[in-house]
């Protein structure tokens, strides 16, 4: 909780659940990435929080942007980023969207198979492409599974295909899984990238860039290592696997840039029990999985929740949202401890919610409005 957010909530008293984002925290985070990794360009992952004020601040600070759709490309441009600071990092793109991005000036694209290379070669001639490789995401609280990337052994063939079709085979990317609390997670992927660089060099093609992806964490209930610790582990991995032929590097932080900048204010709608003998209480909030807390899916992300009654005796609670869908339960397998004195109408503050909340909120499921957001 920052003083600015506390003051905003005290004086403005916004009605209904809302997210409040403190731009000073975003600025500090950007500067800490820039300072810890001075030779690495930052491409902010727009999907984490595309609020125009957040994008404009980052553009002004010199950030580049990782986008996944034409709409996100346009948001980054509207925020003041020039097209040379925008990457189209989604490996799954319609050919006509690639064409539109190319017309808008975007020249950097992700691929993970030959069919995607062919689309880009047809409508974005001469563009730079990087090949995304699979990473197992071990140790991440929000792993990205096998949806994106190819086995490292396939990457040279894909990049050579790009080269033959007149594209610039530019580099390799990976994502070690979101909310990655293990700083050592980058090592194996950097080793694979170095192997691909060597293989391509044997084929007469010089790759230039390693895209180290996102994964940098936000502090929820557990402590997380500082940005400096990630920077050190990554720099060690590059030195180990690339020696003195240090490639150009970029990072794509999303959660790590904006997660801790936001707080959701919500309200207790109901407290009840399912039977007289139950010791677990049900606490229903006016926000749930469909109102912005989608990352509580499988109870993956556990947000810190503050109430005005913290300090009172605590009791296990199932925490649920307000909609008429039984999937709208945040924490049940692993109940959440909340004050026994918590009452209907109490305000709760959900911390670390600056990333992946507004963008995941439904438009009007059950008539509940999308999550409101204030950027201060
Ligand atoms: C979502 C995404 C990111 C951001 O990941 P975080 O874990 O939030 O930092 C970075 N790169 C790509 C390609 C992504 O899809």
């Amino acid at each position: 909780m920052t003083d600015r957010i506390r003051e905003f909530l005290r004086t403005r008293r916004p009605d209904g659940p809302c997210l409040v984002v403190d731009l000073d925290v975003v600025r500090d985070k950007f500067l800490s990435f820039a300072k810890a990794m001075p030779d690495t360009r930052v491409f902010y992952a727009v999907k984490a929080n595309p609020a125009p004020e957040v994008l404009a601040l980052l553009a002004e600070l010199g950030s580049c942007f990782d986008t996944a759709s034409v709409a996100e490309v346009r948001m980054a441009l509207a925020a003041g980023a020039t097209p040379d600071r925008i990457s189209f990092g989604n490996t799954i793109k319609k050919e006509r969207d690639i064409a539109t991005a190319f017309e808008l000036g975007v020249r950097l694209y992700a691929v993970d198979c030959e069919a995607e290379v062919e689309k880009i070669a047809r409508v974005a001639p001469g563009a730079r492409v990087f090949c995304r490789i699979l990473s197992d995401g071990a140790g991440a609280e929000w792993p990205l599974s096998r949806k994106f990337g190819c086995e490292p052994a396939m990457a040279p063939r894909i990049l050579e295909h790009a080269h033959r079709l007149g594209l610039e085979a530019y580099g390799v990317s990976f994502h070690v899984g979101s909310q990655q609390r293990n700083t050592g997670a980058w090592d194996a992927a950097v080793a694979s990238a170095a192997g691909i660089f060597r293989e391509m060099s044997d084929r007469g093609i010089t790759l230039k860039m390693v895209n180290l992806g996102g994964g940098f964490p936000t502090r929820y209930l557990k402590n997380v290592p500082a940005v400096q610790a990630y920077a050190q582990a990554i720099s060690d991995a590059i030195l180990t696997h690339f020696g003195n032929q240090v490639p150009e590097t970029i990072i794509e932080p999303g959660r790590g840039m904006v997660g801790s900048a936001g707080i959701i204010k919500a309200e207790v709608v109901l407290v009840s029990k399912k039977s007289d003998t139950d010791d677990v209480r049900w606490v229903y909030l006016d926000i749930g999985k469909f109102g912005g807390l989608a990352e509580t899916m499988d109870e993956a992300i556990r947000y810190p929740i503050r109430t005005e009654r913290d300090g009172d005796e605590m009791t296990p609670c199932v925490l649920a949202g307000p909609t008429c869908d039984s999937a709208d339960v945040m924490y049940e397998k692993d109940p959440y401890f909340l004050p026994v004195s918590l009452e209907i109408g109490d305000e709760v503050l959900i911390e670390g919610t600056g990333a992946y909340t507004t963008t995941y909120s439904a438009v009007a499921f059950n008539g509940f409005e999308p999550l409101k957001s204030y950027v201060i």
Side-chain angles (χ1 to χ4, degrees):
M1 174 57 108
T2 70
D3 289 342
R4 295 180 69 226
I5 295 180
R6 188 176 293 115
E7 189 57 19
F8 176 86
L9 287 173
R10 198 180 60 78
T11 54
R12 287 283 295 274
R13 305 225 58 80
D15 189 37
C18 64
L19 169 69
V20 187
V21 174
D22 185 343
L23 285 177
D24 283 354
V25 179
V26 180
R27 178 184 287 106
D28 287 351
K29 279 290 173 187
F30 178 84
L31 295 175
S32 68
F33 279 115
K35 180 160 173 253
M37 307 177 85
D39 302 321
T40 297
R41 280 203 300 168
V42 176
F43 281 66
Y44 170 62
V46 171
K47 72 175 185 291
N49 189 325
E53 301 89 337
V54 170
L55 299 184
L57 169 69
L58 289 171
E60 184 197 312
L61 291 172
S63 185
C64 302
F65 297 89
D66 169 51
T67 63
S69 63
V70 169
E72 285 189 351
V73 170
R74 291 191 198 281
M75 288 180 208
L77 290 170
T82 45
D84 58 311
R85 286 162 60 189
I86 297 174
S87 151
F88 203 151
N90 191 345
T91 51
I92 305 155
K93 305 172 283 300
K94 286 182 180 164
E95 188 164 320
R96 54 187 182 279
D97 289 344
I98 300 168
T100 306
F102 190 73
E103 274 162 34
L104 292 170
V106 177
R107 295 292 179 268
L108 184 60
Y109 297 85
V111 297
D112 66 2
C113 67
E114 282 154 319
E116 194 71 15
V117 166
E118 283 161 19
K119 290 184 207 168
I120 296 170
R122 279 192 293 270
V123 297
R128 289 176 165 172
V129 296
F130 54 90
C131 185
R132 178 147 170 192
I133 55 172
L134 283 167
S135 159
D136 67 6
E141 286 175 24
W142 192 260
L144 299 170
S145 79
R146 291 181 61 81
K147 181 169 174 184
F148 311 102
C150 62
E151 288 293 343
M154 268 177 71
R157 198 176 75 218
I158 294 165
L159 287 163
E160 187 170 4
H161 194 54
H163 176 80
R164 290 232 179 85
L165 294 179
L167 297 169
E168 184 181 356
Y170 196 58
V172 175
S173 79
F174 51 81
H175 194 301
V176 296
S178 202
Q179 187 68 7
Q180 177 55 266
R181 288 166 56 233
N182 174 13
T183 59
W186 276 260
D187 186 74
V190 169
S192 298
I196 296 164
F197 270 59
R198 283 192 295 272
E199 171 69 28
M200 292 303 289
S201 164
D202 291 346
R203 298 181 190 203
I205 300 166
T206 308
L207 298 181
K208 299 201 177 76
M209 186 269 292
V210 177
N211 176 345
L212 301 153
F216 307 93
T218 286
R219 188 180 190 290
Y220 298 117
L221 287 171
K222 294 179 205 145
N223 268 326
V224 297
V227 167
Q228 185 56 49
Y230 287 86
Q232 188 62 51
I234 288 171
S235 145
D236 290 348
I238 300 230
L239 197 67
T240 305
H241 303 293
F242 282 89
N244 55 10
Q245 299 198 297
V246 177
E248 176 190 331
T249 47
I250 72 178
I251 52 170
E252 300 174 331
R255 189 187 303 280
M257 187 76 83
V258 292
S260 62
I263 291 213
I264 285 175
K265 178 210 70 121
E267 180 181 325
V268 177
V269 181
L270 184 65
V271 181
S272 67
K273 280 197 171 187
K274 300 291 169 192
S275 93
D276 290 336
T277 55
D278 238 352
D279 9 296
V280 177
R281 309 202 305 169
W282 282 66
V283 173
Y284 301 88
L285 302 180
D286 62 355
I287 185 170
K289 277 219 183 98
F290 302 102
L293 303 181
E295 287 200 314
T296 58
M297 209 184 289
D298 298 327
E299 312 197 9
I301 300 292
R302 275 178 96 77
Y303 297 106
I305 300 176
R306 309 277 170 231
T307 78
E308 278 164 22
R309 302 178 195 275
D310 291 352
D312 291 2
E313 188 195 335
M314 304 292 256
T315 185
C317 300
V318 173
L319 195 69
T323 67
C324 298
D325 187 312
S326 56
D328 194 8
V329 176
M330 281 87 82
Y331 305 119
E332 180 174 16
K333 276 188 306 219
D334 191 2
Y336 203 101
F337 278 75
L338 290 169
V340 69
S341 51
L342 196 69
E343 278 181 15
I344 293 170
D346 280 1
E347 184 175 287
V348 301
L349 297 174
I350 310 173
E351 295 185 340
T353 41
Y356 303 122
T357 51
T358 52
T359 38
Y360 275 151
S361 137
V363 173
F365 178 50
N366 254 185
F368 291 97
E369 275 179 47
L371 181 59
K372 276 209 260 325
S373 149
Y374 302 93
V375 180
I376 61 173

